[in-house]
Amino acid sequence: PPPPPGAMSSDISQTPQWAALVAHAAEIQNTHLRELMADAERCASLVAEHDGLILDYSRQRVTADTMRMLFDLAEAATLDRKRNAMGSGEPINATEGRAVMHVALRCPAGKEMFVGGENVVPEVHAVLDRIKDFSQRVRSGQWLGATGKPLRTVVAIGIGGSYLGPEFIFEALRTDPTASAAAAGRGLRFLANVDPVDVARALRGLDLETTLVVVVSKTFTTAETMLNARTARHQFLSGIRAAPEAIVRQHFVAVSAAQAKAVEFGIDENNIFGFWNWVGGRYSCCSAVGAVPLAIHYGFEVFEQFLAGAHNMDLHFFEAEPRLNLPILLGLLGVWNTTFMGCETRAILPYSQALLRFPAHIQQVDMESNGKR
């Protein structure tokens, strides 16, 4: 049978395009970046832009010939076919036999994206509608704590992609004028480590009567997350004078696919928000994983704008030709640097303080994507 769409149909390292890049890299190794930067025409040609986002890759050790060879390699690797396979919901995750369809999480209502022959966009928006309703009830004071007080602080308990992506977005939006105004008087904290110090830092100084906990675990069995969730539940039960069932019901919600386990924990089944196995954990910030805590903190309208921006870049990735395509250009430069130039370390240096958690998020996205076979 033919290989799955995400698999290499032949050994790309045995192609003429690969051999040409190996030979070319030997030449570039002896060329100083200072020499390359002295060529104004070269520098002007190594810039791409999409909707106000500018990618200046002139400080990469590449020439016009390098880029031409990299595009030839991409063609030999059937990148276009694989990009189309991803967008059509084919199981390009060959390891697990799953689609890689996180792009559907930010697809506008009324459009179509298919996984296994089924349009998943209505299901995505059904969950988003529930999150919008719940977040608005919390923010407006309709959903109250067990003692009748409004919930002003959220503690999100998760690990890996259930933590790094949402925390990155939280920090990135903190100083955005619209988001900052929407979050006035509210607080959002994250708890990932099972170290008691992290638990103490996350819960220290909180008024438990005005705090909501979001437990994020697809299976509701993640060891670190569930230990922290049980620890938090114990503190709430000890620190709030109300019926135990009411405390858990009013102060704990879940993002999980394991509804029965979340209900067993004490969470109201109406406050369990699901996601799908075609969403990798490292890409889950656009799902309920990010939507629940961020919509409560910043308001659902702000989170909708974030989704719209992500969808804008998705369209660019799927529709723009490779030579103008920001994600493809960055991917090809990554292959060039690591595979052909022997650069084993990548530095991500955000000069914008709002992006301070971007490196940690990208480290996980990159390492889990490229480190798993």
Side-chain angles (χ1 to χ4, degrees):
M8 188 66 68
S9 57
S10 61
D11 188 346
I12 191 67
S13 67
Q14 302 304 308
T15 61
Q17 292 86 350
W18 185 282
L21 279 163
V22 170
H24 180 63
E27 300 171 9
I28 294 290
Q29 291 285 12
N30 297 319
T31 305
H32 198 284
L33 180 60
R34 190 182 300 112
E35 299 174 44
L36 297 175
M37 292 300 296
D39 184 342
E41 185 177 346
R42 167 199 168 273
C43 293
S45 70
L46 300 180
V47 177
E49 182 269 341
H50 170 67
D51 205 10
L53 287 175
I54 298 172
L55 171 63
D56 179 353
Y57 56 103
S58 62
R59 285 160 180 79
Q60 300 291 310
R61 292 171 69 189
V62 297
T63 66
D65 284 341
T66 313
M67 298 310 299
R68 176 183 54 76
M69 293 181 197
L70 286 170
F71 293 128
D72 288 345
L73 184 71
E75 187 174 346
T78 63
L79 176 61
D80 270 350
R81 181 174 67 82
K82 291 169 184 171
R83 180 173 55 164
N84 293 337
M86 175 183 170
S88 60
E90 294 183 41
I92 67 169
N93 176 349
T95 306
E96 298 172 301
R98 293 176 178 171
V100 179
M101 209 56 177
H102 49 278
V103 293
L105 298 172
R106 49 259 193 158
C107 186
K111 290 194 173 185
E112 294 182 334
M113 298 200 88
F114 290 86
V115 176
E118 179 183 355
N119 179 18
V120 297
V121 176
E123 191 176 357
V124 167
H125 280 271
V127 174
L128 285 173
D129 288 345
R130 291 181 55 230
I131 294 171
K132 179 180 182 179
D133 174 69
F134 181 71
S135 63
Q136 289 178 339
R137 284 190 289 136
V138 171
R139 288 174 59 83
S140 68
Q142 289 180 270
W143 182 274
L144 302 171
T147 58
K149 295 181 179 180
L151 301 171
R152 307 292 300 173
T153 302
V154 171
V155 177
I157 301 178
I159 197 168
S162 299
Y163 151 61
L164 292 166
E167 186 192 40
F168 155 59
I169 301 167
F170 163 66
E171 292 288 352
L173 293 176
R174 280 178 70 178
T175 51
D176 173 82
T178 302
S180 178
R186 306 202 62 85
L188 174 57
R189 302 184 185 186
F190 294 89
L191 173 56
N193 198 338
V194 290
D195 183 348
V197 172
D198 198 29
V199 177
R201 288 175 60 180
L203 301 181
R204 181 182 295 134
L206 290 181
D207 179 354
L208 299 182
E209 294 184 42
T210 63
T211 299
L212 178 74
V213 176
V214 180
V215 183
V216 184
S217 173
K218 181 180 282 189
T219 63
F220 230 66
T221 58
T222 310
E224 298 91 340
T225 298
M226 296 317 301
L227 176 57
N228 283 335
R230 288 191 294 270
T231 301
R233 182 177 61 180
H234 174 76
Q235 291 206 22
F236 275 70
L237 293 175
S238 302
I240 298 176
R241 298 185 64 180
E245 297 82 4
I247 293 171
V248 180
R249 184 182 66 248
Q250 298 302 120
H251 291 268
F252 284 76
V253 302
V255 177
S256 179
Q259 180 167 325
K261 287 186 172 64
V263 169
E264 185 181 342
F265 185 88
I267 294 173
D268 186 331
E269 64 179 12
N270 294 313
N271 293 334
I272 301 168
F273 304 95
F275 54 110
W276 303 269
N277 65 10
W278 38 262
V279 180
R282 57 197 179 279
Y283 303 122
S284 63
C285 59
C286 291
S287 72
V289 169
V292 174
L294 293 167
I296 294 172
H297 185 70
Y298 288 123
F300 189 81
E301 294 75 15
V302 170
F303 189 74
E304 269 189 319
Q305 292 177 32
F306 171 75
L307 294 181
H311 178 65
N312 177 287
M313 183 54 70
D314 293 337
L315 292 180
H316 171 68
F317 169 66
F318 285 119
E319 296 175 358
E321 64 169 292
R323 287 162 179 77
L324 302 175
N325 195 305
L326 272 59
I328 289 177
L329 286 168
L330 287 168
L332 291 176
L333 290 168
V335 172
W336 168 251
N337 285 321
T338 56
T339 303
F340 296 101
M341 297 295 283
C343 301
E344 297 181 351
T345 303
R346 173 179 296 166
I348 299 176
L349 309 171
Y351 281 74
S352 169
Q353 188 64 17
L355 301 180
L356 80 163
R357 294 300 291 161
F358 186 58
H361 174 48
I362 293 302
Q363 180 184 40
Q364 194 215 14
V365 170
D366 196 353
M367 292 180 69
E368 283 208 20
S369 293
N370 293 325
K372 289 186 173 179
R373 293 290 183 267

